[in-house]
Amino acid sequence: MAHQHAHPHTPRFHQRPRPHRASRSFALVNGLTFVVHLLLACAAEDLLATRVAGQINLGVVALLAQGALLLWTAARYDRAAHEEAAYESAEEH
């Protein structure tokens, strides 16, 4: 059976909801993380210089955590963008 388009006067709640746009949350999470890291680097040098193991200090650990967060949110943003593109192409057909 062929897919039928919704009647133009059909209420919107009968259609599939649009996927969540991740761009704002991506920028917000990574921007706040960067600001916190920058503030710690400026105001709490001694804290970030605390050694964890050998030559590794809290600053290095925080930087690695920030990088991991950036990669994770980028992967989520990319997946959301693909889902939105698929939704829009399905909506056109």
Side-chain angles (χ1 to χ4, degrees):
M1 179 174 190
H3 175 67
Q4 296 176 354
H5 292 284
H7 189 274
H9 299 292
T10 302
R12 191 146 184 85
F13 59 84
H14 287 290
Q15 297 173 1
R16 283 188 299 172
R18 291 185 68 90
H20 172 69
R21 291 184 187 261
S23 58
R24 274 190 225 137
S25 59
F26 174 80
L28 183 67
V29 167
N30 288 295
L32 286 176
T33 304
F34 176 75
V35 168
V36 167
H37 194 129
L38 185 64
L39 289 174
L40 283 173
C42 293
E45 298 171 34
D46 295 336
L47 174 66
L48 292 181
T50 304
R51 296 209 182 240
V52 176
Q55 295 294 322
I56 307 292
N57 59 25
L58 282 178
V60 171
V61 172
L63 184 61
L64 291 174
Q66 183 179 357
L69 179 67
L70 177 65
L71 290 174
W72 180 71
T73 55
R76 286 192 57 193
Y77 177 76
D78 186 52
R79 183 173 54 239
H82 284 295
E83 288 174 0
E84 186 172 334
Y87 175 81
E88 288 175 359
S89 69
E91 197 175 64
E92 290 174 0
H93 293 114

